[in-house]
Amino acid sequence: MISNYIELNNLTKYYNKQPIFNIPHISIEKGEIVSIVGPSGTGKSTLLRIIAGLVEPDSGEIFIDGYSMDRISPQKRPAVYMFQESLLFPHMNVIENIAFGLKMANVKKKDRSKWSENMLRKVGLEGFQTRFPHEISGGQKQRVALAMSLIVKPKVLLLDEPFSNLDSELRKETRRWIKQLLKDEGMTVLFVTHDLEEAMAIGDRVAILADGLFQQFAHPKELYESPANHFVSTFLQAGIWSNDRFISVNRLAISAERPIGLEGTWEAEVIENYYQDGKYHLVVRLSESEDLLTIEIDKEVDLGKSIFLYIK
C-alpha cells in the first residue's frame, strides 16, 4: 500500500494576481478521510476542483496513487467530485441514476443491474428503484448522489459541503452513515465543510486552511489539545494563546470577580449561552484580544455579563 496516496507539492492558485493558497506539501494515506475547514473565501472548494481537474493550478504537482495528474483531463482522473447540490438526472429514476456511470463505462447491462442494486442496498434505499428525483427527500437525493459516485469505484472521492442543504438533524444523521459507508468501502476522501463539528466528526485528520496556508493538519484531538498557533486556537475557540503559550479551555475556571493574587487572569464578556449535552456552554469574548472562547459550565450566565478566567 502506498502510504502517500495523495500528494500535493508546491500547489499554488491566484485570482486577479492575489494568492488564494500556497501549499508546499501535504500527503494523505489510502483509506483516510480528511476534512478541510477554514474561514469562507480561503480556497477550500477551489482546492478540490484543482484535484478533480476542473480548475488549473498556477503551479505545483498532484499525485494520486503514485501517478502525476499533470495534463490528465477530469474525465480520466481517478477522482470523483461530488457537488454541494445532488445533481441527479430528473428524467431518470433512482436505479437509472445510480447505474449511469457504469453505462458510460460500457459495463454490461446485467452487471450494471447487479452492481446498482447492491449499491442501492448499501445506501439504504431498497424499494426506491423506480422513484424519480422529485419524488424523494433531500437526504435521499444525497444518498443517490453518493451511490452514483461510489459505484464507479474512484480512487479518491471529493466531497464539497454535501450536507449544506440539509437541516441540522438530517445533517447529523447523514454524516453518521456516510462515514461508516466510506470506511466500509475503504475510500480515500477529501471533505470540505464550513461546519467545524462536522469536520471533527467525519475526518480522521482535519486540515485548517487560512491565509493561503494549511495552518495545521492533525487528528482532531491534537488540534484541540496542541494547536500550532494563535489562529488555530482562536478558530477552534479551544483556549487562550498567551505569550506564545497555549492554555487549554479545560485548564480554565471562571469567576464573577477578579481573582486576587493570580498572575494568569483574563477578563471576558459573555456573548452567547446555550444548553447542550447536559451542560451550559458560554461563548465569551476576551477583552484584551477579542478572541472568542467556548466554555462548559454548570449553570447559566447572563448575556453581556463580565466574567474573569483564570488557570485552575
Side-chain angles (χ1 to χ4, degrees):
M1 182 180 78
I2 295 177
S3 177
N4 297 337
Y5 198 65
I6 302 174
E7 282 196 81
L8 310 180
N9 295 319
N10 300 313
L11 202 63
T12 64
K13 184 62 184 176
Y14 292 81
Y15 279 131
N16 297 325
K17 299 183 179 180
Q18 296 297 315
I20 300 299
F21 55 70
N22 179 2
I23 301 172
H25 177 77
I26 193 171
S27 62
I28 297 165
E29 296 181 1
K30 186 174 183 178
E32 187 175 23
I33 300 177
V34 171
S35 296
I36 302 174
V37 68
S40 297
T42 54
K44 301 184 295 296
S45 294
T46 299
L47 176 58
L48 288 199
R49 292 188 178 105
I50 286 174
I51 295 171
L54 302 174
V55 173
E56 285 290 322
D58 288 294
S59 65
E61 294 179 299
I62 300 167
F63 291 88
I64 297 177
D65 195 15
Y67 294 93
S68 172
M69 295 296 104
D70 186 37
R71 299 182 182 178
I72 304 296
S73 68
Q75 295 81 3
K76 294 185 178 180
R77 292 196 181 195
V80 168
Y81 184 101
M82 187 171 160
F83 292 86
Q84 294 180 12
E85 297 282 346
S86 51
L87 302 178
L88 308 183
F89 297 104
H91 63 288
M92 294 182 185
N93 62 30
V94 165
I95 202 69
E96 290 169 339
N97 268 283
I98 292 174
F100 180 77
L102 299 177
K103 186 176 182 179
M104 292 298 99
N106 296 316
V107 174
K108 293 180 180 179
K109 186 175 181 180
K110 182 179 179 180
D111 289 332
R112 290 203 311 264
S113 178
K114 178 182 175 181
W115 297 350
S116 299
E117 291 285 350
N118 184 47
M119 186 57 68
L120 194 72
R121 286 192 295 273
K122 288 183 178 182
V123 298
L125 289 178
E126 287 181 280
F128 285 75
Q129 288 89 331
T130 59
R131 296 197 191 183
F132 286 84
H134 71 273
E135 297 176 316
I136 59 178
S137 69
Q140 290 163 345
K141 288 177 183 177
Q142 288 301 98
R143 291 177 183 245
V144 176
L146 182 65
M148 291 175 68
S149 300
L150 292 178
I151 201 167
V152 295
K153 300 187 182 300
K155 291 184 175 180
V156 176
L157 182 61
L158 306 169
L159 300 177
D160 189 358
E161 301 209 40
F163 315 138
S164 59
N165 293 325
L166 307 181
D167 62 50
S168 178
E169 284 308 308
L170 187 53
R171 284 176 76 116
K172 290 181 180 179
E173 177 191 335
T174 302
R175 79 187 186 204
R176 292 186 197 109
W177 71 260
I178 208 173
K179 181 173 183 178
Q180 186 59 55
L181 177 59
L182 294 174
K183 284 299 181 184
D184 290 345
E185 294 293 302
M187 189 60 56
T188 306
V189 182
L190 272 73
F191 170 77
V192 160
T193 178
H194 68 277
D195 187 308
L196 190 55
E197 179 183 323
E198 201 163 80
M200 300 297 170
I202 288 181
D204 298 315
R205 286 192 292 168
V206 177
I208 298 179
L209 181 61
D211 297 328
L213 297 170
F214 279 123
Q215 301 291 326
Q216 193 168 358
F217 184 24
H219 186 276
K221 186 173 185 286
E222 182 180 345
L223 291 174
Y224 275 98
E225 294 184 353
S226 302
N229 54 41
H230 182 203
F231 175 85
V232 174
S233 65
T234 302
F235 182 73
L236 298 178
Q237 300 181 15
I240 295 174
W241 195 269
S242 178
N243 298 321
D244 295 326
R245 180 170 68 109
F246 175 68
I247 303 163
S248 169
V249 68
N250 295 326
R251 296 181 56 204
L252 297 173
I254 71 169
S255 171
E257 305 292 336
R258 184 184 295 274
I260 305 298
L262 295 179
E263 292 184 6
T265 63
W266 298 267
E267 186 174 1
E269 178 190 359
V270 178
I271 63 171
E272 184 181 2
N273 57 46
Y274 58 94
Y275 189 81
Q276 182 177 309
D277 300 328
K279 288 279 188 178
Y280 287 100
H281 295 69
L282 295 185
V283 180
V284 303
R285 180 185 290 115
L286 300 180
S287 300
E288 184 175 334
S289 63
E290 295 197 351
D291 289 348
L292 301 183
L293 200 62
T294 301
I295 307 171
E296 289 185 2
I297 60 170
D298 295 322
K299 60 181 180 179
E300 190 173 9
V301 178
D302 293 337
L303 291 177
K305 184 176 178 60
S306 291
I307 61 170
F308 296 89
L309 307 175
Y310 63 94
I311 301 174
K312 296 177 184 177

PDB file of all heavy atoms in Angstrom, residues 225-252:
ATOM      1  N   GLU A 225      -5.918  20.027  21.653  1.00  0.00           N
ATOM      2  CA  GLU A 225      -5.012  19.985  22.796  1.00  0.00           C
ATOM      3  C   GLU A 225      -3.676  20.665  22.532  1.00  0.00           C
ATOM      4  O   GLU A 225      -3.045  21.169  23.458  1.00  0.00           O
ATOM      5  CB  GLU A 225      -4.780  18.534  23.225  1.00  0.00           C
ATOM      6  CG  GLU A 225      -6.038  17.864  23.775  1.00  0.00           C
ATOM      7  CD  GLU A 225      -5.774  16.458  24.277  1.00  0.00           C
ATOM      8  OE1 GLU A 225      -4.629  15.955  24.079  1.00  0.00           O
ATOM      9  OE2 GLU A 225      -6.697  15.872  24.874  1.00  0.00           O
ATOM     10  N   SER A 226      -3.249  20.688  21.252  1.00  0.00           N
ATOM     11  CA  SER A 226      -1.948  21.291  20.924  1.00  0.00           C
ATOM     12  C   SER A 226      -2.038  22.088  19.628  1.00  0.00           C
ATOM     13  O   SER A 226      -1.404  21.734  18.614  1.00  0.00           O
ATOM     14  CB  SER A 226      -0.881  20.194  20.789  1.00  0.00           C
ATOM     15  OG  SER A 226      -0.778  19.434  21.957  1.00  0.00           O
ATOM     16  N   PRO A 227      -2.834  23.157  19.614  1.00  0.00           N
ATOM     17  CA  PRO A 227      -2.922  23.969  18.391  1.00  0.00           C
ATOM     18  C   PRO A 227      -1.555  24.537  18.031  1.00  0.00           C
ATOM     19  O   PRO A 227      -0.764  24.882  18.909  1.00  0.00           O
ATOM     20  CB  PRO A 227      -3.918  25.068  18.763  1.00  0.00           C
ATOM     21  CG  PRO A 227      -3.909  25.123  20.257  1.00  0.00           C
ATOM     22  CD  PRO A 227      -3.631  23.733  20.710  1.00  0.00           C
ATOM     23  N   ALA A 228      -1.289  24.622  16.720  1.00  0.00           N
ATOM     24  CA  ALA A 228       0.040  25.026  16.259  1.00  0.00           C
ATOM     25  C   ALA A 228       0.312  26.503  16.444  1.00  0.00           C
ATOM     26  O   ALA A 228       1.471  26.916  16.551  1.00  0.00           O
ATOM     27  CB  ALA A 228       0.196  24.650  14.788  1.00  0.00           C
ATOM     28  N   ASN A 229      -0.736  27.311  16.469  1.00  0.00           N
ATOM     29  CA  ASN A 229      -0.526  28.754  16.555  1.00  0.00           C
ATOM     30  C   ASN A 229      -1.778  29.458  17.080  1.00  0.00           C
ATOM     31  O   ASN A 229      -2.798  28.809  17.367  1.00  0.00           O
ATOM     32  CB  ASN A 229      -0.129  29.323  15.183  1.00  0.00           C
ATOM     33  CG  ASN A 229      -1.121  28.949  14.087  1.00  0.00           C
ATOM     34  OD1 ASN A 229      -2.333  28.958  14.291  1.00  0.00           O
ATOM     35  ND2 ASN A 229      -0.609  28.609  12.904  1.00  0.00           N
ATOM     36  N   HIS A 230      -1.688  30.759  17.197  1.00  0.00           N
ATOM     37  CA  HIS A 230      -2.785  31.566  17.727  1.00  0.00           C
ATOM     38  C   HIS A 230      -4.036  31.432  16.876  1.00  0.00           C
ATOM     39  O   HIS A 230      -5.146  31.317  17.391  1.00  0.00           O
ATOM     40  CB  HIS A 230      -2.342  33.032  17.807  1.00  0.00           C
ATOM     41  CG  HIS A 230      -3.368  33.948  18.376  1.00  0.00           C
ATOM     42  ND1 HIS A 230      -3.383  35.304  18.133  1.00  0.00           N
ATOM     43  CD2 HIS A 230      -4.446  33.725  19.186  1.00  0.00           C
ATOM     44  CE1 HIS A 230      -4.405  35.863  18.762  1.00  0.00           C
ATOM     45  NE2 HIS A 230      -5.062  34.929  19.399  1.00  0.00           N
ATOM     46  N   PHE A 231      -3.854  31.437  15.537  1.00  0.00           N
ATOM     47  CA  PHE A 231      -5.028  31.348  14.678  1.00  0.00           C
ATOM     48  C   PHE A 231      -5.813  30.070  14.945  1.00  0.00           C
ATOM     49  O   PHE A 231      -7.038  30.096  15.056  1.00  0.00           O
ATOM     50  CB  PHE A 231      -4.646  31.405  13.200  1.00  0.00           C
ATOM     51  CG  PHE A 231      -5.837  31.186  12.306  1.00  0.00           C
ATOM     52  CD1 PHE A 231      -6.658  32.246  11.965  1.00  0.00           C
ATOM     53  CD2 PHE A 231      -6.178  29.915  11.843  1.00  0.00           C
ATOM     54  CE1 PHE A 231      -7.800  32.053  11.188  1.00  0.00           C
ATOM     55  CE2 PHE A 231      -7.307  29.719  11.069  1.00  0.00           C
ATOM     56  CZ  PHE A 231      -8.105  30.794  10.736  1.00  0.00           C
ATOM     57  N   VAL A 232      -5.140  28.934  15.030  1.00  0.00           N
ATOM     58  CA  VAL A 232      -5.823  27.644  15.222  1.00  0.00           C
ATOM     59  C   VAL A 232      -6.579  27.635  16.548  1.00  0.00           C
ATOM     60  O   VAL A 232      -7.744  27.230  16.609  1.00  0.00           O
ATOM     61  CB  VAL A 232      -4.832  26.472  15.151  1.00  0.00           C
ATOM     62  CG1 VAL A 232      -5.528  25.153  15.498  1.00  0.00           C
ATOM     63  CG2 VAL A 232      -4.216  26.379  13.765  1.00  0.00           C
ATOM     64  N   SER A 233      -5.934  28.082  17.621  1.00  0.00           N
ATOM     65  CA  SER A 233      -6.605  28.075  18.927  1.00  0.00           C
ATOM     66  C   SER A 233      -7.822  28.986  18.923  1.00  0.00           C
ATOM     67  O   SER A 233      -8.859  28.669  19.517  1.00  0.00           O
ATOM     68  CB  SER A 233      -5.635  28.487  20.040  1.00  0.00           C
ATOM     69  OG  SER A 233      -5.214  29.831  19.894  1.00  0.00           O
ATOM     70  N   THR A 234      -7.719  30.124  18.224  1.00  0.00           N
ATOM     71  CA  THR A 234      -8.846  31.054  18.146  1.00  0.00           C
ATOM     72  C   THR A 234      -9.954  30.496  17.268  1.00  0.00           C
ATOM     73  O   THR A 234     -11.139  30.587  17.602  1.00  0.00           O
ATOM     74  CB  THR A 234      -8.374  32.409  17.582  1.00  0.00           C
ATOM     75  OG1 THR A 234      -7.338  32.919  18.412  1.00  0.00           O
ATOM     76  CG2 THR A 234      -9.516  33.408  17.542  1.00  0.00           C
ATOM     77  N   PHE A 235      -9.583  29.904  16.145  1.00  0.00           N
ATOM     78  CA  PHE A 235     -10.573  29.346  15.223  1.00  0.00           C
ATOM     79  C   PHE A 235     -11.381  28.246  15.900  1.00  0.00           C
ATOM     80  O   PHE A 235     -12.590  28.136  15.711  1.00  0.00           O
ATOM     81  CB  PHE A 235      -9.864  28.799  13.984  1.00  0.00           C
ATOM     82  CG  PHE A 235     -10.786  28.234  12.946  1.00  0.00           C
ATOM     83  CD1 PHE A 235     -11.564  29.065  12.159  1.00  0.00           C
ATOM     84  CD2 PHE A 235     -10.882  26.865  12.752  1.00  0.00           C
ATOM     85  CE1 PHE A 235     -12.437  28.544  11.202  1.00  0.00           C
ATOM     86  CE2 PHE A 235     -11.731  26.341  11.808  1.00  0.00           C
ATOM     87  CZ  PHE A 235     -12.511  27.179  11.028  1.00  0.00           C
ATOM     88  N   LEU A 236     -10.706  27.431  16.711  1.00  0.00           N
ATOM     89  CA  LEU A 236     -11.374  26.336  17.407  1.00  0.00           C
ATOM     90  C   LEU A 236     -12.042  26.777  18.707  1.00  0.00           C
ATOM     91  O   LEU A 236     -12.783  26.009  19.311  1.00  0.00           O
ATOM     92  CB  LEU A 236     -10.369  25.221  17.725  1.00  0.00           C
ATOM     93  CG  LEU A 236      -9.686  24.542  16.539  1.00  0.00           C
ATOM     94  CD1 LEU A 236      -8.681  23.507  17.038  1.00  0.00           C
ATOM     95  CD2 LEU A 236     -10.702  23.894  15.619  1.00  0.00           C
ATOM     96  N   GLN A 237     -11.750  28.019  19.126  1.00  0.00           N
ATOM     97  CA  GLN A 237     -12.245  28.521  20.414  1.00  0.00           C
ATOM     98  C   GLN A 237     -11.879  27.545  21.535  1.00  0.00           C
ATOM     99  O   GLN A 237     -12.661  27.249  22.431  1.00  0.00           O
ATOM    100  CB  GLN A 237     -13.756  28.762  20.370  1.00  0.00           C
ATOM    101  CG  GLN A 237     -14.169  29.783  19.325  1.00  0.00           C
ATOM    102  CD  GLN A 237     -15.663  30.048  19.295  1.00  0.00           C
ATOM    103  OE1 GLN A 237     -16.385  29.695  20.222  1.00  0.00           O
ATOM    104  NE2 GLN A 237     -16.138  30.674  18.232  1.00  0.00           N
ATOM    105  N   ALA A 238     -10.639  27.035  21.451  1.00  0.00           N
ATOM    106  CA  ALA A 238     -10.224  25.929  22.310  1.00  0.00           C
ATOM    107  C   ALA A 238      -9.397  26.353  23.514  1.00  0.00           C
ATOM    108  O   ALA A 238      -9.094  25.529  24.379  1.00  0.00           O
ATOM    109  CB  ALA A 238      -9.410  24.922  21.497  1.00  0.00           C
ATOM    110  N   GLY A 239      -9.017  27.624  23.582  1.00  0.00           N
ATOM    111  CA  GLY A 239      -8.199  28.057  24.700  1.00  0.00           C
ATOM    112  C   GLY A 239      -7.626  29.434  24.448  1.00  0.00           C
ATOM    113  O   GLY A 239      -8.014  30.134  23.520  1.00  0.00           O
ATOM    114  N   ILE A 240      -6.671  29.807  25.273  1.00  0.00           N
ATOM    115  CA  ILE A 240      -6.054  31.130  25.204  1.00  0.00           C
ATOM    116  C   ILE A 240      -4.609  30.990  24.768  1.00  0.00           C
ATOM    117  O   ILE A 240      -3.868  30.145  25.288  1.00  0.00           O
ATOM    118  CB  ILE A 240      -6.128  31.834  26.575  1.00  0.00           C
ATOM    119  CG1 ILE A 240      -7.593  32.109  26.944  1.00  0.00           C
ATOM    120  CG2 ILE A 240      -5.327  33.135  26.564  1.00  0.00           C
ATOM    121  CD1 ILE A 240      -7.775  32.668  28.334  1.00  0.00           C
ATOM    122  N   TRP A 241      -4.216  31.798  23.799  1.00  0.00           N
ATOM    123  CA  TRP A 241      -2.838  31.843  23.356  1.00  0.00           C
ATOM    124  C   TRP A 241      -2.192  33.059  24.012  1.00  0.00           C
ATOM    125  O   TRP A 241      -2.506  34.195  23.700  1.00  0.00           O
ATOM    126  CB  TRP A 241      -2.775  31.955  21.833  1.00  0.00           C
ATOM    127  CG  TRP A 241      -1.439  31.645  21.266  1.00  0.00           C
ATOM    128  CD1 TRP A 241      -0.440  32.533  21.024  1.00  0.00           C
ATOM    129  CD2 TRP A 241      -0.935  30.366  20.878  1.00  0.00           C
ATOM    130  NE1 TRP A 241       0.657  31.889  20.504  1.00  0.00           N
ATOM    131  CE2 TRP A 241       0.380  30.560  20.405  1.00  0.00           C
ATOM    132  CE3 TRP A 241      -1.462  29.082  20.891  1.00  0.00           C
ATOM    133  CZ2 TRP A 241       1.168  29.502  19.933  1.00  0.00           C
ATOM    134  CZ3 TRP A 241      -0.683  28.042  20.430  1.00  0.00           C
ATOM    135  CH2 TRP A 241       0.615  28.246  19.953  1.00  0.00           C
ATOM    136  N   SER A 242      -1.317  32.817  24.960  1.00  0.00           N
ATOM    137  CA  SER A 242      -0.746  33.906  25.759  1.00  0.00           C
ATOM    138  C   SER A 242       0.766  33.754  25.842  1.00  0.00           C
ATOM    139  O   SER A 242       1.271  32.725  26.300  1.00  0.00           O
ATOM    140  CB  SER A 242      -1.343  33.886  27.174  1.00  0.00           C
ATOM    141  OG  SER A 242      -0.785  34.890  27.983  1.00  0.00           O
ATOM    142  N   ASN A 243       1.481  34.803  25.377  1.00  0.00           N
ATOM    143  CA  ASN A 243       2.956  34.792  25.416  1.00  0.00           C
ATOM    144  C   ASN A 243       3.528  33.519  24.792  1.00  0.00           C
ATOM    145  O   ASN A 243       4.391  32.844  25.361  1.00  0.00           O
ATOM    146  CB  ASN A 243       3.455  34.935  26.864  1.00  0.00           C
ATOM    147  CG  ASN A 243       3.022  36.243  27.497  1.00  0.00           C
ATOM    148  OD1 ASN A 243       3.014  37.285  26.834  1.00  0.00           O
ATOM    149  ND2 ASN A 243       2.657  36.195  28.767  1.00  0.00           N
ATOM    150  N   ASP A 244       3.031  33.216  23.578  1.00  0.00           N
ATOM    151  CA  ASP A 244       3.478  32.038  22.822  1.00  0.00           C
ATOM    152  C   ASP A 244       3.241  30.732  23.559  1.00  0.00           C
ATOM    153  O   ASP A 244       3.913  29.726  23.306  1.00  0.00           O
ATOM    154  CB  ASP A 244       4.970  32.155  22.466  1.00  0.00           C
ATOM    155  CG  ASP A 244       5.232  33.304  21.510  1.00  0.00           C
ATOM    156  OD1 ASP A 244       4.365  33.565  20.659  1.00  0.00           O
ATOM    157  OD2 ASP A 244       6.303  33.936  21.620  1.00  0.00           O
ATOM    158  N   ARG A 245       2.262  30.736  24.452  1.00  0.00           N
ATOM    159  CA  ARG A 245       1.935  29.520  25.202  1.00  0.00           C
ATOM    160  C   ARG A 245       0.430  29.287  25.100  1.00  0.00           C
ATOM    161  O   ARG A 245      -0.360  30.228  25.236  1.00  0.00           O
ATOM    162  CB  ARG A 245       2.349  29.691  26.663  1.00  0.00           C
ATOM    163  CG  ARG A 245       2.046  28.482  27.536  1.00  0.00           C
ATOM    164  CD  ARG A 245       2.704  28.658  28.904  1.00  0.00           C
ATOM    165  NE  ARG A 245       2.096  29.727  29.667  1.00  0.00           N
ATOM    166  CZ  ARG A 245       1.339  29.542  30.748  1.00  0.00           C
ATOM    167  NH1 ARG A 245       1.085  28.320  31.180  1.00  0.00           N
ATOM    168  NH2 ARG A 245       0.840  30.558  31.401  1.00  0.00           N
ATOM    169  N   PHE A 246       0.036  28.037  24.860  1.00  0.00           N
ATOM    170  CA  PHE A 246      -1.378  27.708  24.750  1.00  0.00           C
ATOM    171  C   PHE A 246      -1.895  27.202  26.087  1.00  0.00           C
ATOM    172  O   PHE A 246      -1.295  26.324  26.707  1.00  0.00           O
ATOM    173  CB  PHE A 246      -1.609  26.646  23.670  1.00  0.00           C
ATOM    174  CG  PHE A 246      -3.034  26.176  23.592  1.00  0.00           C
ATOM    175  CD1 PHE A 246      -4.035  27.029  23.164  1.00  0.00           C
ATOM    176  CD2 PHE A 246      -3.377  24.883  23.953  1.00  0.00           C
ATOM    177  CE1 PHE A 246      -5.347  26.609  23.099  1.00  0.00           C
ATOM    178  CE2 PHE A 246      -4.683  24.452  23.881  1.00  0.00           C
ATOM    179  CZ  PHE A 246      -5.673  25.318  23.453  1.00  0.00           C
ATOM    180  N   ILE A 247      -3.035  27.752  26.498  1.00  0.00           N
ATOM    181  CA  ILE A 247      -3.692  27.323  27.731  1.00  0.00           C
ATOM    182  C   ILE A 247      -5.064  26.787  27.340  1.00  0.00           C
ATOM    183  O   ILE A 247      -5.943  27.531  26.906  1.00  0.00           O
ATOM    184  CB  ILE A 247      -3.840  28.486  28.727  1.00  0.00           C
ATOM    185  CG1 ILE A 247      -2.456  29.086  29.021  1.00  0.00           C
ATOM    186  CG2 ILE A 247      -4.503  28.012  30.016  1.00  0.00           C
ATOM    187  CD1 ILE A 247      -2.508  30.455  29.636  1.00  0.00           C
ATOM    188  N   SER A 248      -5.245  25.477  27.456  1.00  0.00           N
ATOM    189  CA  SER A 248      -6.482  24.825  27.039  1.00  0.00           C
ATOM    190  C   SER A 248      -7.658  25.308  27.876  1.00  0.00           C
ATOM    191  O   SER A 248      -7.523  25.620  29.069  1.00  0.00           O
ATOM    192  CB  SER A 248      -6.347  23.316  27.165  1.00  0.00           C
ATOM    193  OG  SER A 248      -7.596  22.682  27.000  1.00  0.00           O
ATOM    194  N   VAL A 249      -8.836  25.341  27.249  1.00  0.00           N
ATOM    195  CA  VAL A 249     -10.053  25.728  27.951  1.00  0.00           C
ATOM    196  C   VAL A 249     -10.322  24.795  29.128  1.00  0.00           C
ATOM    197  O   VAL A 249     -10.928  25.200  30.129  1.00  0.00           O
ATOM    198  CB  VAL A 249     -11.246  25.758  26.966  1.00  0.00           C
ATOM    199  CG1 VAL A 249     -11.594  24.361  26.490  1.00  0.00           C
ATOM    200  CG2 VAL A 249     -12.459  26.421  27.585  1.00  0.00           C
ATOM    201  N   ASN A 250      -9.839  23.553  29.036  1.00  0.00           N
ATOM    202  CA  ASN A 250     -10.040  22.596  30.121  1.00  0.00           C
ATOM    203  C   ASN A 250      -9.264  22.968  31.384  1.00  0.00           C
ATOM    204  O   ASN A 250      -9.562  22.456  32.468  1.00  0.00           O
ATOM    205  CB  ASN A 250      -9.622  21.188  29.666  1.00  0.00           C
ATOM    206  CG  ASN A 250     -10.499  20.674  28.546  1.00  0.00           C
ATOM    207  OD1 ASN A 250     -11.684  20.972  28.492  1.00  0.00           O
ATOM    208  ND2 ASN A 250      -9.915  19.915  27.635  1.00  0.00           N
ATOM    209  N   ARG A 251      -8.278  23.849  31.241  1.00  0.00           N
ATOM    210  CA  ARG A 251      -7.481  24.272  32.396  1.00  0.00           C
ATOM    211  C   ARG A 251      -7.988  25.576  33.004  1.00  0.00           C
ATOM    212  O   ARG A 251      -7.417  26.082  33.968  1.00  0.00           O
ATOM    213  CB  ARG A 251      -6.020  24.454  31.980  1.00  0.00           C
ATOM    214  CG  ARG A 251      -5.331  23.178  31.509  1.00  0.00           C
ATOM    215  CD  ARG A 251      -3.888  23.456  31.151  1.00  0.00           C
ATOM    216  NE  ARG A 251      -3.171  24.051  32.273  1.00  0.00           N
ATOM    217  CZ  ARG A 251      -2.066  24.804  32.140  1.00  0.00           C
ATOM    218  NH1 ARG A 251      -1.594  25.070  30.935  1.00  0.00           N
ATOM    219  NH2 ARG A 251      -1.468  25.305  33.211  1.00  0.00           N
ATOM    220  N   LEU A 252      -9.070  26.108  32.426  1.00  0.00           N
ATOM    221  CA  LEU A 252      -9.565  27.409  32.872  1.00  0.00           C
ATOM    222  C   LEU A 252     -10.814  27.274  33.740  1.00  0.00           C
ATOM    223  O   LEU A 252     -11.637  26.388  33.543  1.00  0.00           O
ATOM    224  CB  LEU A 252      -9.885  28.292  31.661  1.00  0.00           C
ATOM    225  CG  LEU A 252      -8.706  28.649  30.752  1.00  0.00           C
ATOM    226  CD1 LEU A 252      -9.203  29.380  29.510  1.00  0.00           C
ATOM    227  CD2 LEU A 252      -7.684  29.509  31.501  1.00  0.00           C
TER     228      LEU A 252
END
